């Protein structure tokens, strides 16, 4: 028998199908027992059907079951994967639309800015409930968090509970993949040194088979105008959200460079390469999201609406239909790290991954205990940071301010104190760009509009 893996949010059309494909493609997990839990029972039967369909096509022993009983789902689990969004699109609509009325436009709205703060206030109490159930029903299990805002959720869990928690985000992996295409090098020949927080990690060194990858990147950038004539080795998968910018059927290096305007500007200024996509990066640096820039349009970033997310959801549902009808299983890894991380833990097979965990010195510029993103070593002994990273002064100061807002956000989520929630907004870089009174009004309006998902604030 393989490990017992419970997925909380197992009805997710976005996450569960890709995780199931990775599981059946991973030898150490091909016989795993998968338990899918969700508060919404409607999608669960089709997810179980998909798991059995994939296992049958692959000829492996993976099994799947589903339940809406969280305690039953957690009994004897060895790994608990969590991907949830408390309140769904109904709550998220307020995260985007209320700040926009007060002068804060968000490209994503799920990590920092007013949307990130409110999403944390909703998610953290639910996660703490989940962690308490984990402590009761499977105390030795690893909790692998995929949900946003990843930093504040992981910080709350590691600060308030003893559950072994790690956050897994695909942004660094995507950047490594795209760098390999841009530099015409093998993905496996790139070794990144990373330090920061989720969606604002910085690659401070890049080794490419023994060569300085930053020098190689600068050589590409030095003749950027000619890159439209250089096709990438493969098209960028549609699931990464990139839209081809040039005419012609082939993706070019110029197409990729146009999608990295924010990333490359910061690389030029600070000498370190941000590891997340531009849509996330722009929210940490409010000067990219101004009226003068067309709210990011000049930098090639757009504002995500609820309607956009609803279209993405419809596409995920359509993709599930296609997978259930297919007689083949995708062999390329999804880019998510859940399966390979669990495999390393199961086999005591050391592997390196960009992970979110408490700072034990991995990021020298941030407080010990704060959740940071860095390269980590995973083995049968658990998870540890690989090295210590110090960042340029300007970047480090930005990270410290973000970390301060995130710590206030965790405090507010746990205590239900409105003044602490306001303080988190005031310190947040994106929110703080508007008038003080607008922040007061916006915070009150957001807390009121999402009160149904914020019971901890009911008496404040």
């Amino acid at each position: 028998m393989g490990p017992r893996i419970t997925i909380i949010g197992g009805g997710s059309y976005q996450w569960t199908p890709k995780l199931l494909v990775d599981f059946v493609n991973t030898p150490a997990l091909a016989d795993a027992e998968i338990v899918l839990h969700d508060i919404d029972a409607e999608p669960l039967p089709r997810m179980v059907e998909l798991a059995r369909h994939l296992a049958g096509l692959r000829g492996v022993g993976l099994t799947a079951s589903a339940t809406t009983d969280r305690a039953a789902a957690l009994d004897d689990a060895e790994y608990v994967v969590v991907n949830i969004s408390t309140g769904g699109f109904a709550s998220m609509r307020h995260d985007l639309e209320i700040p926009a009325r007060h002068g804060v436009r968000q490209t994503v709205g799920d990590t920092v800015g007013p949307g990130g703060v409110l999403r944390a206030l909703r998610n953290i109490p639910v996660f703490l409930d989940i962690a308490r159930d984990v402590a009761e029903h499977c105390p030795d299990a690893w909790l692998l968090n995929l949900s946003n805002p990843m930093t504040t959720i992981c910080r709350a869990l590691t600060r308030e509970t003893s559950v072994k928690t790690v956050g897994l985000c695909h942004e660094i992996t995507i950047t490594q993949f795209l760098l390999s295409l841009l530099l015409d090098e093998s993905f496996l020949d790139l070794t990144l040194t990373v330090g920061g927080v989720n969606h604002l990690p910085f690659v401070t060194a890049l080794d490419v088979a023994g060569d300085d990858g930053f020098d190689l990147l600068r050589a590409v950038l030095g003749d950027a105008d000619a890159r439209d004539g250089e096709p990438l080795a493969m098209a960028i998968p549609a699931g990464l959200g990139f839209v081809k910018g040039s005419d012609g059927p082939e993706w070019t290096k110029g197409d990729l460079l146009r999608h990295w305007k924010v990333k490359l500007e910061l690389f030029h200024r600070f000498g370190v390469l941000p590891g997340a996509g531009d849509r996330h990066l722009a929210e940490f640096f409010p000067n990219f999201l101004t009226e003068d820039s067309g709210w990011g349009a000049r930098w090639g970033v757009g504002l995500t609406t609820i309607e956009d997310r609803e279209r993405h959801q419809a596409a995920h549902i359509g993709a599930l239909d296609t997978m259930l009808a297919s007689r083949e299983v995708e062999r390329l890894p999804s880019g998510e790290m859940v399966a390979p991380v669990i495999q390393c833990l199961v086999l005591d097979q050391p592997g390196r991954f960009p992970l979110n965990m408490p700072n034990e010195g991995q990021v020298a510029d941030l407080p010990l205990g704060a959740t940071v993103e860095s390269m980590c070593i995973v083995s049968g002994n658990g998870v540890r940071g690989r090295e210590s990273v110090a960042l340029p002064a300007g970047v480090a100061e930005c990270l410290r301010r973000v970390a301060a807002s995130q710590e206030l956000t965790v405090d507010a989520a746990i205590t239900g104190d409105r003044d602490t929630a306001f303080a988190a907004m005031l310190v947040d870089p994106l929110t703080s760009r508007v008038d003080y009174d607008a922040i007061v009004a916006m915070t009150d309006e957001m807390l009121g509009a999402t009160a149904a998902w914020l019971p901890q604030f009911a008496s404040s």
Side-chain angles (χ1 to χ4, degrees):
M1 288 291 292
R4 181 175 166 96
I5 304 171
T6 296
I7 303 179
I8 304 293
S12 168
Y13 293 102
Q14 176 181 358
W15 288 103
T16 300
K18 68 174 74 174
L19 295 180
L20 292 174
V21 171
D22 284 345
F23 291 159
V24 300
N25 284 336
T26 302
L29 309 182
D31 293 327
E33 178 188 3
I34 308 299
V35 182
L36 304 175
H37 168 271
D38 209 295
I39 59 173
D40 179 7
E42 192 274 330
L44 290 176
R46 298 188 74 210
M47 296 301 175
V48 172
E49 180 187 358
L50 176 64
R52 294 172 179 169
H53 177 64
L54 295 171
L57 292 175
R58 268 283 177 266
V60 298
L62 180 139
T63 63
S65 61
T67 179
T68 57
D69 183 336
R70 192 165 73 199
L74 290 172
D75 277 337
D76 301 321
E78 296 167 79
Y79 302 95
V80 179
V81 182
V82 189
N83 45 262
I84 63 170
S85 177
T86 304
F89 293 154
S91 61
M92 205 182 307
R93 179 179 295 277
H94 300 298
D95 295 348
L96 301 175
E97 294 178 355
I98 293 173
R101 291 199 294 270
H102 290 278
V104 180
R105 309 289 179 91
Q106 298 166 99
T107 45
V108 185
D110 69 0
T111 299
V112 291
V117 172
L118 260 291
R119 190 181 178 100
L121 299 184
R122 294 192 300 272
N123 267 347
I124 285 174
V126 177
F127 263 86
L128 289 174
D129 283 343
I130 293 170
R132 284 187 278 269
D133 284 349
V134 169
E136 178 179 353
H137 295 276
C138 50
D140 294 326
W142 279 92
L143 190 153
L144 308 179
N145 174 39
L146 300 175
S147 307
N148 288 323
M150 183 168 292
T151 302
T152 47
I153 290 171
C154 290
R155 172 58 174 156
L157 294 182
T158 56
R159 194 182 87 175
E160 301 294 322
T161 81
S162 60
V163 173
K164 296 181 293 188
T165 300
V166 65
L168 294 78
C169 177
H170 53 219
E171 292 286 326
I172 286 289
T173 303
I174 291 172
T175 292
Q176 182 173 342
F177 167 65
L178 297 178
L179 281 170
S180 73
L181 296 181
L182 192 61
L183 300 177
D184 295 317
E185 300 285 350
S186 167
F187 176 91
L188 297 176
D189 283 341
L190 274 63
T191 301
L192 284 62
T193 301
V194 176
V197 297
N198 184 236
H199 292 156
L200 189 60
F202 287 90
V203 180
T204 60
L206 175 62
D207 181 278
V208 181
D211 293 328
D212 186 331
F214 283 171
D215 285 345
L216 299 176
L217 179 59
R218 291 186 183 98
V220 171
L221 299 178
D223 193 17
D225 290 342
R227 301 304 169 182
D228 272 336
E230 296 185 26
L232 298 178
M234 63 179 291
I236 297 176
L240 300 189
F242 284 58
V243 178
K244 191 174 181 300
S246 63
D247 295 331
E250 294 184 318
W251 272 85
T252 70
K253 293 180 180 180
D255 290 320
L256 178 51
L257 294 177
R258 277 187 286 275
H259 283 282
W260 274 5
K261 289 183 179 179
V262 175
K263 183 193 298 283
L264 294 176
E265 172 62 23
L266 294 172
F267 175 61
H268 169 69
R269 294 291 178 182
F270 295 108
V272 291
L273 183 71
D278 281 10
R279 291 170 62 253
H280 283 299
L281 293 174
E283 294 186 328
F284 290 89
F285 299 93
N287 307 100
F288 291 112
L289 294 177
T290 65
E291 191 170 9
D292 288 344
S293 75
W295 303 111
R298 191 173 79 234
W299 295 97
V301 294
L303 308 177
T304 304
T305 66
I306 287 298
E307 290 72 26
D308 292 330
R309 292 183 180 273
E310 290 171 341
R311 284 191 290 272
H312 295 159
Q313 178 76 338
H316 293 314
I317 294 172
L320 174 61
D321 294 336
T322 300
M323 292 173 71
L324 284 167
S326 177
R327 303 308 302 169
E328 296 182 352
V329 181
E330 174 62 66
R331 291 190 176 273
L332 287 176
S334 70
E336 304 302 333
M337 291 174 289
V338 173
V341 163
I342 294 178
Q343 176 168 261
C344 288
L345 292 166
V346 167
L347 298 181
D348 189 14
Q349 180 185 76
R352 64 175 190 260
F353 304 93
L355 299 174
N356 292 262
M357 60 178 290
N359 188 21
E360 298 174 347
Q362 305 97 289
V363 181
D365 306 286
L366 293 180
L368 295 178
T371 294
V372 297
E373 186 163 301
S374 67
M375 296 305 297
C376 297
I377 302 297
V378 179
S379 69
N381 293 323
V383 182
R384 61 176 175 82
R386 193 182 68 186
E387 64 247 320
S388 179
V389 173
L391 294 156
V395 169
E397 187 58 34
C398 175
L399 281 170
R400 282 191 285 268
R401 181 166 183 173
V402 169
S405 175
Q406 290 175 330
E407 193 73 9
L408 288 165
T409 300
V410 173
D411 291 340
I414 294 170
T415 64
D417 184 80
R418 298 176 75 92
D419 287 340
T420 306
F422 170 76
M425 293 281 197
L426 188 66
V427 174
D428 175 83
L430 182 59
T431 310
S432 65
R433 66 178 300 275
V434 301
D435 182 81
Y436 180 93
D437 288 339
I439 300 175
V440 173
M442 180 186 68
T443 303
D444 288 341
E445 188 177 347
M446 293 182 79
L447 292 175
T450 59
W453 303 283
L454 298 172
Q456 73 271 42
F457 288 89
S459 61
S460 64

